Amino acid sequence: MAARQGVPRLSTGDMLREARRAGTRLGRKVQRRMDAGELVSDDVIMEIVAEALEAPAAAGGFVFDGFPRTLAQADGLAELLETRGNHLDAVLSLDVPDDELIARISGRRVCEAGGHVTHTRAIGDATRCPECGGTLFLRTDDEPDTVRRRLAVYREQTEPLLDYYARGETGLTVIDGSGAPDVVTARIDEALAGASSEMAT
Ligand code: AMP
């Protein structure tokens, strides 16, 4: 979606995983909570998001992935955007039944070498990345028990954001996220085309 919009994708999960790979103090600090499927603290997240927004690549717009996840983060984002003179063009919620989410997440495989993401539905039991031949692994937090914990955390801490954004200025677009990737992609494009007439930044 970010590539099609020609803007960077700012994934807080990727930023945290990168900090862990690099062995920074931040990486060590968030390790335990991430592996348990819990959220890391709002302060940490707001700090890395504020820093990511300073990157020149983000000057022409951006897509957030995995952020905001709490009401405190949503408030923090609103403040950040106001300070920067930016606004949200669209807020999308991809709606997928829990059973399907668990099947998707526990079948996800990530390439150690290039970070490519693939799925057992496409590659079966293969252990090598179809893109580059690198070794594929299952994220610790993609283990079925941890996925169930992540869904519970979502219900408690993130779901209230649906109401928050539905009542907000930008509004909330709920997209049916079930079905094949190209079908869901088409639904997202259609929703964004509707929002694009209002896009200014
Ligand atoms: P993700 O790749 O977005 O599923 O994120 C993986 C893990 O990183 C989450 O389960 C959390 O532990 C942590 N994380 C990522 N984004 C956030 C966020 N916005 N707020 C709190 N924790 C986060």
Side-chain angles (χ1 to χ4, degrees):
M1 180 177 140
R4 286 196 313 286
Q5 297 290 318
V7 296
R9 165 174 158 263
L10 304 182
S11 156
T12 42
D14 280 357
M15 293 174 209
L16 296 172
R17 277 183 291 276
E18 183 47 41
R20 289 181 59 172
R21 249 192 310 274
T24 64
R25 205 167 63 87
L26 169 71
R28 288 193 298 276
K29 188 169 163 182
V30 299
Q31 190 165 329
R32 197 187 51 78
R33 296 192 72 84
M34 285 180 78
D35 286 347
E38 303 288 340
L39 296 185
V40 310
S41 79
D42 292 327
D43 291 352
V44 164
I45 295 293
M46 290 318 301
E47 211 175 300
I48 62 173
V49 167
E51 196 181 313
L53 289 182
E54 292 305 318
F62 37 83
V63 173
F64 283 123
D65 176 359
F67 170 86
R69 262 168 148 113
T70 64
L71 289 168
Q73 290 176 23
D75 284 338
L77 174 62
E79 266 175 47
L80 257 181
L81 293 177
E82 194 175 336
T83 311
R84 294 169 49 88
N86 292 144
H87 67 274
L88 294 176
D89 296 308
V91 182
L92 308 182
S93 168
L94 288 161
D95 198 29
V96 181
D98 280 7
D99 287 354
E100 172 63 9
L101 278 180
I102 292 169
R104 284 186 189 179
I105 293 178
S106 48
R108 174 162 63 182
R109 297 291 179 272
V110 185
C111 171
E112 212 168 53
H116 304 112
V117 180
T118 183
H119 200 278
T120 50
R121 280 174 181 166
I123 58 158
D125 290 338
T127 55
R128 294 275 160 196
C129 173
E131 301 276 338
C132 73
T135 307
L136 294 173
F137 69 96
L138 174 71
R139 278 171 41 175
T140 314
D141 61 345
D142 283 352
E143 306 272 359
D145 278 354
T146 316
V147 171
R148 274 185 273 277
R149 178 64 199 142
R150 286 166 65 193
L151 286 172
V153 167
Y154 172 82
R155 294 267 120 74
E156 286 159 23
Q157 302 190 56
T158 306
E159 206 166 52
L161 293 184
L162 297 182
D163 217 37
Y164 174 101
Y165 282 113
R167 291 166 193 270
E169 219 174 90
T170 315
L172 175 78
T173 307
V174 180
I175 292 178
D176 175 6
S178 52
D182 56 340
V183 175
V184 180
T185 301
R187 291 184 195 129
I188 293 173
D189 284 347
E190 197 184 326
L192 290 179
S196 69
S197 52
E198 295 155 34
M199 286 190 192
T201 52

